[in-house]
């Protein structure tokens, strides 16, 4: 019998061990995958694989920055003299334009004449700027390729433009989203903190047990509502309210996101802070009261200081909840990729961008990798938040 | 991505294949497949989205039998199919028209393509610049990954980028909702999404000579300029397999579904 029990214990031990191993391995694998995909964005050409930018042989221009190329393809720059070339207007050409210059018959049934026609085209149009696949270049090409600068971490973090699908040069600048994410989160905290802590205090110290048993489940219920419901509520109720209240042109603003997120972070803050407040030993409180302190004095001088670490944890976990939230923010902040300069303008956040775009970004492409790089940035933010929680808890223990 | 897969007992014109691609065509194909499967028990048509580009690359890799697309094949996609020695057929199954919408309180009722380009690229910022009242223009657009975004950019903005201040909405329904509650708003949606809470503008693509209102009739007669065909692409070797379904989609009954779903029939 004893032996049997020992085997059973070993068996259960084994199950527990393998479960925890599987969990840790999964987490590590996901992180590895995130970094592998995300880091693939950097130190490579912003052009899609195998594609090049080329100009005629006579053209003196040798390299162009991504910004110049973008301006050219956006038709803001239309003359070569603006980018250091001769005075000649720029003719934009992508491979799909070839049918405007040559008929399908001339190109051949399986496009076998294409390389030769590309040569004819560049000879006839010395002002052309070509965006074509390397594969279809003729062996003796009458032009030269233009060198384009690689994507750097600095451009990614501090770039102000986000045009991930722009052809031929996409822009991956996430600065507006970093600022947007911080502003929305900060606003959410301004709303959720006073409200959440006050509720926690009320539940832990003021409310009688019947009221507490009614209110606490209600607050916790907030955590169970799907975030898309919050988003929809925000879009239909909060957005027009803000628009009317502040007489704005647009109601989809940082503030709308902050309010919705604030409501969503409430259950986390209330539950954890209240639990922390209730861990204060009764003997401490009774001692304070016995010394003649009032209930309010006891609360301020004994209960809150004792629960400080728990309250801090509640605050930081609330931030964590707000910073990673996706769907609700996606629906109410407007997602314009401008750098927001106040709470009353639209903004775009990191998680909302990933959610909105990952579904249709071609697997393995630059856009796909850029979204994973966004994931890395977000991951680092949450890691920092969690480390802060651990640090505060440890410090309090000492 | 939605997924429809139904199979039942053995009967009649049984087919079994996959359709993949554009999210614009997705709801239409789903409905067509549903009705077809109901009529031909035992058939199984699996419909998934993912975007036009995804459908075409699936056709290339042989993981789908029909690629649904809201644009015609790009030359480099044709080249890839050619390189792989895969002959394909293109079939237009319906048309989709994009309506430019504003808030009903807005007095503007028509705009030219050049004006639309100015507004959506951010060069025109106030309604008074196009003859309206002194009110800031708020631009609503779909997300960058949407085929509708690409089509509007290519067709109306002559490939220029949208203004960075444009508000990008995750769904067409959200654009309608926002435009209906924002006075200075402008946006674009598929004909199927037009509602009373927003107003569609007449547009002109000939520098203001003729303005046309979006409707099924004007889209059908090609008078309305922001219209695009919706395609099915399949390999010639698969023709036998998919043709019963294709015949159904192009039949009067299939085209009735097209109309009901808010798209424009081919005939």
């Amino acid at each position: 019998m004893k032996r049997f029990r020992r085997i059973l214990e070993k068996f259960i031990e084994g199950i527990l061990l393998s479960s925890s191993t599987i969990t840790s391995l999964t987490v590590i694998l996901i992180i590895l995958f995130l970094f592998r995909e995300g880091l693939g964005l950097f130190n490579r050409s912003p052009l899609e694989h195998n594609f090049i930018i080329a100009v005629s042989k006579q053209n003196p221009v040798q390299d162009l920055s991504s910004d110049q190329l973008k301006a050219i393809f956006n038709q803001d720059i239309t003359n070569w003299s603006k980018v250091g070339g001769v005075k000649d207007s720029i003719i934009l050409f992508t491979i799909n334009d070839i049918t405007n210059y040559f008929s399908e018959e001339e190109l051949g049934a399986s496009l076998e004449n294409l390389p030769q026609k590309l040569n004819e085209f560049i000879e006839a149009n010395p002002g052309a700027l070509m965006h074509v696949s390397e594969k279809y270049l003729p062996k003796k090409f009458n032009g030269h390729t233009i060198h384009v600068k690689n994507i750097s971490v600095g451009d990614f973090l501090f770039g102000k433009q986000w045009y991930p699908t722009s052809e031929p040069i996409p822009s991956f600048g996430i600065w507006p989203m970093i600022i947007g994410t911080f502003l929305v989160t900060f606003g959410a905290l301004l709303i959720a903190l006073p409200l959440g802590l006050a509720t926690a205090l009320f539940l832990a110290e003021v409310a009688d047990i019947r009221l507490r048993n009614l209110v606490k489940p209600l607050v916790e219920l907030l955590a169970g509502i799907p975030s898309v419901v919050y988003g929809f509520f925000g879009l239909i109720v909060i957005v027009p309210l803000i628009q009317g209240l502040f007489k704005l042109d647009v109601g989809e603003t940082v503030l709308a996101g902050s309010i919705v997120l604030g409501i969503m972070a409430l259950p986390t803050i209330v539950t954890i802070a209240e639990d922390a407040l209730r861990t204060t030993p009764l003997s401490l409180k009774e001692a304070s009261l016995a010394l003649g302190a009032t209930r309010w004095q006891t609360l301020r001088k004994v209960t809150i200081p004792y629960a400080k670490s728990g309250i801090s944890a509640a605050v930081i976990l609330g931030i964590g909840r707000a910073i990673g939230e996706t769907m609700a923010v996606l629906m109410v902040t407007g997602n314009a990729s401008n750098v927001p300069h106040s709470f009353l303008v639209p903004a775009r956040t990191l998680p909302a961008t990933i959610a909105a775009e990952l579904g249709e970004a071609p697997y393995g492409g630059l856009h796909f990798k850029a979204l994973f790089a966004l994931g890395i940035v977000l991951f680092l933010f949450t890691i920092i938040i969690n480390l802060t929680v651990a640090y505060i808890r440890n410090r309090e223990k000492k | 991505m939605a997924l429809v897969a139904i199979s039942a007992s053995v009967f009649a014109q049984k087919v079994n294949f996959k359709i993949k691609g554009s999210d614009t065509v997705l709801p239409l194909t789903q409905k067509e497949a549903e009705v077809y499967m109901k009529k031909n028990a035992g058939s199984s048509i699996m419909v998934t989205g993912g975007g036009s580009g995804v459908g075409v690359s699936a056709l290339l890799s042989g993981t789908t039998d029909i690629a649904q697309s809201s644009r015609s094949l790009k030359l480099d996609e044709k080249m890839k199919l050619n390189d792989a020695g895969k002959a394909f057929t293109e079939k237009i199954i319906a048309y989709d028209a994009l309506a430019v919408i504003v808030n009903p309180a807005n007095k503007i009722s028509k705009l030219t393509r050049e004006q639309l380009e100015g507004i959506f690229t951010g060069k025109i910022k106030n309604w008074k610049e196009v003859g309206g009242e002194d009110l800031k223009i708020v631009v609503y657009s779909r997300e960058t990954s949407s085929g509708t975004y690409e089509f509007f950019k290519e067709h109306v903005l002559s490939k220029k980028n949208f203004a960075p201040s444009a508000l990008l909405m995750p769904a067409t329904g959200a654009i309608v909702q926002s435009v209906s509650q924002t006075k200075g708003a402008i946006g674009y949606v598929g004909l199927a999404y037009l509602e009373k809470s927003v107003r569609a503008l007449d547009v002109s693509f000939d520098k203001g000579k003729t303005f046309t209102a979006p409707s099924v009739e004007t889209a059908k007669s090609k008078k309305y300029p922001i219209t695009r065909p919706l395609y099915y692409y399949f390999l010639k070797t698969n023709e036998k397999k998919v043709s019963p379904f294709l015949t159904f989609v192009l039949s009067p009954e299939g085209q009735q579904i097209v109309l009901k779903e808010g798209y424009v029939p081919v005939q």
Side-chain angles (χ1 to χ4, degrees):
Chain A
M1 199 59 203
K2 209 172 176 186
R3 194 148 162 219
F4 174 72
R5 203 187 291 155
R6 198 175 288 158
I7 291 172
L8 191 72
E9 273 170 10
K10 278 267 178 243
F11 181 66
I12 291 174
E13 232 171 68
I15 288 180
L16 293 182
L17 179 72
S18 58
S19 302
S20 68
T21 318
I22 290 172
T23 313
S24 335
L25 271 182
T26 316
V27 171
I28 291 171
L29 276 179
I30 289 175
I31 294 174
L32 278 182
F33 179 67
L34 176 71
F35 275 83
R36 203 198 63 184
E37 291 295 332
L39 294 178
L41 176 71
F42 302 110
N43 294 323
R44 51 164 294 173
S45 162
L47 295 167
E48 279 296 342
H49 187 57
N50 276 338
F51 271 77
I52 54 151
I53 300 279
V55 295
S56 144
K57 258 199 181 125
Q58 295 104 293
N59 199 320
V61 178
Q62 290 296 336
D63 42 16
L64 290 167
S65 72
S66 315
D67 286 339
Q68 280 173 326
L69 272 173
K70 252 171 257 160
I72 291 172
F73 276 91
N74 220 7
Q75 295 151 51
D76 296 328
I77 295 177
T78 53
N79 201 300
W80 283 110
S81 59
K82 291 255 180 67
V83 288
V86 291
K87 210 165 179 189
D88 191 8
S89 52
I90 302 174
I91 302 163
L92 292 178
F93 179 87
T94 63
I95 198 77
N96 292 317
D97 296 328
I98 192 89
T99 44
N100 300 343
Y101 296 92
F102 302 100
S103 67
E104 303 245 350
E105 290 92 71
E106 282 179 280
L107 292 173
S110 55
L111 304 162
E112 65 272 8
N113 298 331
L114 184 63
Q116 187 202 332
K117 294 292 165 195
L118 282 177
N119 245 350
E120 284 175 29
F121 168 79
I122 198 111
E123 218 160 306
N125 301 283
L129 180 72
M130 293 175 116
H131 173 234
V132 291
S133 167
E134 241 168 356
K135 271 193 294 188
Y136 302 108
L137 280 188
K139 286 211 179 69
K140 268 189 150 177
F141 183 48
N142 283 333
H144 63 259
T145 53
I146 293 260
H147 176 75
V148 186
K149 214 181 108 206
N150 288 347
I151 303 171
S152 72
V153 178
D155 291 342
F156 177 71
L157 287 179
F158 301 110
K160 291 207 176 76
Q161 285 193 328
W162 178 258
Y163 287 116
T165 57
S166 179
E167 293 256 317
I169 300 272
S171 321
F172 300 114
I174 65 165
W175 186 244
M177 295 173 212
I178 294 181
I179 300 297
T181 308
F182 272 115
L183 266 191
V184 172
T185 309
F186 182 68
L189 280 184
L190 282 190
I191 293 162
L193 270 195
L195 214 60
L197 292 185
T199 312
L201 275 178
F202 173 76
L203 289 180
E205 297 295 324
V206 185
D208 63 41
I209 202 112
R210 261 189 28 226
L211 193 61
R212 186 179 166 275
N213 285 345
L214 189 75
V215 176
K216 199 162 183 207
L218 262 178
V219 173
E220 278 162 0
L221 201 65
L222 276 179
I225 299 174
S227 60
V228 70
V229 174
Y230 281 104
F232 204 62
F233 166 76
L235 183 62
I236 299 212
V237 179
I238 295 174
V239 167
L241 204 70
I242 290 175
Q243 197 180 355
L245 211 60
F246 295 97
K247 305 256 177 310
L248 297 176
D249 299 316
V250 209
E252 285 96 344
T253 51
V254 174
L255 183 62
S258 294
I259 293 177
V260 172
L261 278 191
I263 300 173
M264 294 178 74
L266 269 182
T268 313
I269 296 178
V270 172
T271 315
I272 298 177
E274 199 245 12
D275 286 344
L277 286 170
R278 286 162 62 84
T279 54
T280 313
L282 202 58
S283 54
L284 274 183
K285 285 197 258 180
E286 278 170 349
S288 165
L289 291 171
L291 286 171
T294 61
R295 199 156 115 177
W296 170 238
Q297 281 169 329
T298 308
L299 189 63
R300 210 166 47 128
K301 295 266 164 88
V302 179
T303 317
I304 293 182
Y306 188 87
K308 218 161 72 189
S309 76
I311 294 176
S312 318
V315 172
I316 293 165
L317 287 173
I319 301 179
R321 174 92 172 94
I323 208 166
E325 175 49 41
T326 309
M327 270 324 281
V329 184
L330 182 63
M331 295 176 83
V332 299
T333 59
N335 305 316
S337 37
N338 271 347
V339 182
H341 49 78
S342 87
F343 280 105
L344 298 176
V345 294
R348 196 177 177 86
T349 67
L350 295 166
T353 304
I354 299 175
E357 296 178 3
L358 196 56
E360 291 216 13
Y363 176 81
L366 275 180
H367 187 193
F368 184 83
K369 294 202 161 82
L371 292 175
F372 274 87
L374 277 189
I376 295 179
V377 174
L378 201 59
F379 175 73
L380 293 181
F381 284 161
T382 25
I383 280 274
I384 290 170
I385 290 167
N386 287 352
L387 288 179
T388 321
V389 176
Y391 174 75
I392 288 176
R393 283 205 164 144
N394 279 338
R395 202 187 52 180
E396 293 297 323
K397 261 184 209 148
K398 283 174 197 158
Chain B
M1 298 305 106
L3 189 137
V4 177
I6 303 171
S7 49
S9 60
V10 195
F11 231 116
Q13 275 197 315
K14 213 170 59 159
V15 292
N16 189 339
F17 61 88
K18 287 179 259 178
I19 305 179
K20 191 170 191 168
S22 160
D23 285 328
T24 309
V25 197
L26 180 69
L28 174 61
T29 304
Q30 273 180 339
K31 194 83 210 167
E32 299 276 4
E34 231 172 79
V35 175
Y36 185 87
M37 286 188 287
K38 217 176 261 169
K39 288 175 61 123
N40 301 284
S43 295
S44 153
I45 303 175
M46 190 138 89
V47 189
T48 49
S52 301
V54 174
V56 177
S57 51
L59 190 67
L60 195 64
S61 63
T63 49
T64 188
D65 301 294
I66 294 181
Q68 48 185 355
S69 175
S70 57
R71 55 169 170 79
S72 65
L73 284 193
K74 291 183 180 165
L75 194 66
D76 47 349
E77 289 168 339
K78 279 186 195 163
M79 286 178 205
K80 275 185 202 153
L81 282 163
N82 274 333
D83 289 352
K86 292 180 170 172
F88 61 91
T89 310
E90 169 188 286
K91 272 269 167 11
I92 296 177
I93 54 142
Y95 291 92
D96 181 30
L98 289 186
V100 179
I101 54 169
V102 295
N103 190 278
N106 197 321
K107 291 199 185 70
I108 297 282
S109 64
K110 54 185 187 178
L111 289 171
T112 66
R113 191 201 67 77
E114 289 73 20
Q115 286 172 324
L116 286 175
E117 185 189 304
I119 290 172
F120 280 93
T121 55
K123 298 216 165 60
I124 299 176
K125 293 190 163 69
N126 196 303
W127 282 108
K128 72 180 175 197
E129 290 171 63
V130 290
E133 55 185 310
D134 185 7
L135 184 70
K136 202 183 143 206
I137 299 177
V138 182
V139 174
Y140 286 92
S141 161
R142 282 295 310 280
E143 279 290 348
T144 51
S145 48
S146 140
T148 319
Y149 172 99
E150 287 292 334
F151 175 71
F152 199 80
K153 181 176 158 186
E154 253 175 49
H155 214 66
V156 184
L157 309 189
S158 52
K159 295 191 186 167
K160 291 177 186 164
N161 276 322
F162 280 83
S165 59
L167 282 80
L168 305 185
M169 306 307 276
T172 307
I175 294 189
V176 174
Q177 175 67 29
S178 293
V179 170
S180 72
Q181 63 196 29
T182 306
K183 214 179 152 210
I186 188 167
Y188 58 88
V189 298
L191 207 53
Y193 291 90
L194 270 189
E195 273 180 38
K196 281 207 179 100
S197 59
V198 293
R199 199 156 47 80
L201 294 180
D202 299 359
V203 296
S204 160
F205 268 44
D206 52 6
K207 303 212 156 92
K209 271 179 233 144
T210 49
F211 286 89
T212 316
S215 71
V216 172
E217 288 72 41
T218 54
K220 222 154 118 184
S221 65
K222 308 244 169 82
K223 254 194 215 147
Y224 186 72
I226 319 178
T227 306
R228 57 174 166 177
L230 304 177
Y231 301 92
Y232 278 175
Y233 287 96
F234 51 88
L235 300 184
K236 287 225 165 82
T237 46
N238 271 337
E239 191 147 5
K240 256 206 180 122
K241 197 153 116 190
V242 300
S243 68
F245 178 66
L246 209 68
T247 316
F248 169 75
V249 173
L250 293 172
S251 72
E253 191 189 357
Q255 291 293 303
Q256 198 57 41
I257 298 173
V258 168
L259 197 64
K260 235 198 250 158
E261 291 293 301
Y263 300 87
V264 181
V266 181
Q267 281 93 20

